[in-house]
Amino acid sequence: MRLVEVEHVVALVADRGLETVLADLVDHIEADFRRWDEFDKSPRFASHSPGGVIELMPAADARAFGFKYVNGHPGNQAAGLQTVTGFGVLADVATGYPYLIAEMTLMTAMRTAAMSVLAARHLARPDARSMALIGLGAQSEFQAVAFHALLGIEELVVYDVDPAATDKFRRNLDARDIRVRVAASAPEATEGADIITTATADKRHATIVSANMVGAGVHLNAIGGDCPGKTELQPAILDRASVFVEYLPQTRIEGEIQQMPADFPTTELWRVIAGEAPGRRHRDEVTLFDSVGFAIEDFSTLRYLAEATAAPHLHREVDLLAQPADPRDLFGVLGRLPVANHA
Amino acid sequence: MRLVEVEHVVALVADRGLETVLADLVDHIEADFRRWDEFDKSPRFASHSPGGVIELMPAADARAFGFKYVNGHPGNQAAGLQTVTGFGVLADVATGYPYLIAEMTLMTAMRTAAMSVLAARHLARPDARSMALIGLGAQSEFQAVAFHALLGIEELVVYDVDPAATDKFRRNLDARDIRVRVAASAPEATEGADIITTATADKRHATIVSANMVGAGVHLNAIGGDCPGKTELQPAILDRASVFVEYLPQTRIEGEIQQMPADFPTTELWRVIAGEAPGRRHRDEVTLFDSVGFAIEDFSTLRYLAEATAAPHLHREVDLLAQPADPRDLFGVLGRLPVANHA
């Protein structure tokens, strides 16, 4: 059984380059979205507490069962802890044996950026070259690198309420050939942008982007509105935009469309990717990817890791299964133990 | 973050003795059953496939969230694989950070035996000294050691359809001072027994024990009837016995009582342990613990492991969380990577 820790993911990214890993994640998610109907899509299990939520997100096809453990604790950051951490598991459906446990803290950030790029390929104008990026938290650099490397974004105009976040963002992208301009406000950042990405951590109904900031033909990539009570866009934007979602039953509860009536029209993105529904229909259309993160994306990511981490320096072998030669002889695994009376 | 592998559990049992570990598990389960109402008892998540089932069993109190991954694949044994394997996780409810991943293949066998002893303490006659044990598979030796060490059972009369299983059982208990007699049939094994434990792996409605085999005052410890379509007892026994269950909504579906009408009377065992309901009421009463395994027992087991495996040789430190100094700087964890074009 293979354990992929944070250090192994860092080594994988060092070996292959972040851009290549992101490109491979896009390919894996795209392949799985194309075969959407093959997946067992269960609702996630959520355990709520005053401080946040712990979720188990399962997804399975005929060969593999996967799930991700993920938490969301908005108060963590003030204590110097991450808001979101996670790990994932893949198991063999035929035997029930798990074969991969992997960190999904870094990988979730990468798969979220890969998913954004996959959506933008179908929804943004093909000649999009500039992106506004509002909210420079843990997800921001991954979005920046993914859109630059995989979608041809040449200029980023960025904004965060906290100058320290902006400094961190610039420092992290320093070594990369990405043009970054810092705006003094969100409206300034969005001015003239072909794509607007929002990735703020504010846990309430906030108006990060209002309708007057969104010009004709813009694609909105809304990452931060991802749980009940947390949205980033003014409802008037939703009325103007063609809205695309991952999995409607989940997005209704967690996405930007929680602000809208239950019959608000949307398109599930897999239908666009599979060629069953149109993506962007004309240059002036405003498109919105209302991203909340779905279990199949994590499944694709775990599937990628299972393929990519076979080399000995990219994982550690661990044993959680015992595997006695005679399966009925589990007791024998304990060996010949000293008998009794140890207390 | 701590990883407890099979080798660490073997070392723990070697250090403390199996009897002591079982006794500590009984104490931990008992303490948690006493505070039953403090637990968030969610239904388990199950993913069914032609070959078996994969389940996620969550349980949480105000401080810790736990879950167990467990599979059940009846066809595995023919392929030399275990029917049931598992691992468990504990996380801090306040931060959402997981802090323990532990093997639950060996530990589930131990906690099941500990749970059986805990039930028998309240349900068997105090002077019970003999036990029939029918089904000598992976669970059998754990039951034998637990009942001998913790309940004073002096003689075991055992039976399995497969002589090889009987040989394995005798070999494994060789070093221990437990009197074992091998019966030629299940009826012979149960004759005069104070306690009857059934732990067969047959996945269908089988009649391992029929009503004429159960004398007055016997306690039945039914381990093997633990999923829909799998039972071991003739329904007439249930009509005669006072039936005790772990968590009624689950046992209705998975336990022996799936053979009975929906209003069949039972008592949840936590009420007996908490002093809210009687256990055995008189010497001649037939009592039945209809055991299916419940998430709180796994929670108690993980809680025990978190306490017991602090020594360096009893776990391995692993990192699935990244934990950057600045929680917004997840990207910084990747270090200064070589830039692009690695493919």
Side-chain angles (χ1 to χ4, degrees), chain A residues 94-98 321 323-324 326-330, chain B residues 51-54 69-86 105 137-138 200-203 226-227 230:
Chain A
T95 65
Y97 276 32
L321 300 181
Q323 307 201 59
D326 172 358
R328 292 170 308 184
D329 193 8
L330 186 59
Chain B
V53 64
I54 291 174
Y69 170 105
V70 65
N71 75 297
H73 284 66
N76 273 6
Q77 197 169 304
L81 299 175
Q82 298 161 105
T83 306
V84 176
T85 69
T105 305
T200 64
D202 216 346
K203 198 184 172 167
D226 61 356
C227 64
K230 181 167 183 290

Side-chain angles (χ1 to χ4, degrees), chain A residues 47-96:
Chain A
S47 175
H48 295 273
S49 62
V53 64
I54 292 174
E55 295 181 336
L56 302 175
M57 302 167 69
D61 65 12
R63 279 175 308 178
F65 169 85
F67 75 91
K68 180 167 83 166
Y69 170 105
V70 64
N71 76 298
H73 284 66
N76 274 6
Q77 198 169 304
L81 299 175
Q82 300 160 101
T83 306
V84 176
T85 68
F87 66 91
V89 173
L90 275 187
D92 180 21
V93 165
T95 65

Side-chain angles (χ1 to χ4, degrees), chain B residues 97-320:
Chain B
Y97 275 31
Y99 56 87
L100 175 74
I101 300 183
E103 83 85 36
M104 287 288 281
T105 305
L106 281 167
M107 290 309 302
T108 295
M110 291 187 230
R111 75 91 160 117
T112 300
M115 186 67 224
S116 288
V117 163
L118 178 57
R121 275 196 189 152
H122 293 274
L123 303 179
R125 288 199 319 269
D127 59 354
R129 290 294 171 269
S130 68
M131 179 161 91
L133 178 49
I134 300 171
L136 301 175
Q139 172 62 206
S140 60
E141 297 94 343
F142 298 95
Q143 290 280 334
V145 173
F147 274 86
H148 173 67
L150 306 178
L151 208 82
I153 292 299
E154 291 162 359
E155 186 182 56
L156 289 169
V157 190
V158 303
Y159 176 70
D160 194 288
V161 287
D162 181 359
T166 308
D167 290 346
K168 174 219 59 154
F169 178 85
R170 297 198 76 149
R171 199 168 55 241
N172 278 332
L173 292 188
D174 214 25
R176 281 184 162 79
D177 180 30
I178 308 178
R179 208 156 72 227
V180 176
R181 192 154 57 81
V182 178
S185 66
E188 187 189 314
T190 57
E191 208 177 306
D194 298 321
I195 298 176
I196 298 173
T197 292
T198 53
T200 64
D202 216 346
K203 198 184 172 167
R204 59 193 171 89
H205 290 298
T207 301
I208 309 298
V209 179
S210 54
N212 62 345
M213 292 155 68
V214 179
V218 161
H219 170 60
L220 290 138
N221 175 41
I223 305 300
D226 61 356
C227 64
K230 181 167 183 290
T231 58
E232 296 179 315
L233 305 183
Q234 198 178 39
I237 296 176
L238 300 172
D239 279 325
R240 262 179 71 198
S242 302
V243 178
F244 298 81
V245 301
E246 289 143 315
Y247 181 56
L248 186 57
Q250 184 180 320
T251 310
R252 281 256 179 262
I253 297 165
E254 302 176 4
E256 294 295 333
I257 58 169
Q258 65 186 275
Q259 305 179 81
M260 310 307 281
D263 62 350
F264 183 79
T266 63
T267 304
E268 285 189 335
L269 199 64
W270 72 269
R271 299 187 61 227
V272 177
I273 292 168
E276 293 185 14
R280 167 173 294 270
R281 282 166 301 183
H282 55 85
R283 278 195 66 79
D284 289 345
E285 189 176 14
V286 173
T287 54
L288 164 62
F289 175 41
D290 187 0
S291 169
V292 297
F294 184 51
I296 290 180
E297 295 150 38
D298 300 311
F299 182 94
S300 310
T301 303
L302 290 164
R303 196 165 65 73
Y304 165 71
L305 283 180
E307 293 163 20
T309 62
H313 71 295
L314 298 179
H315 71 272
R316 186 186 277 197
E317 286 297 329
V318 298
D319 178 16
L320 301 177

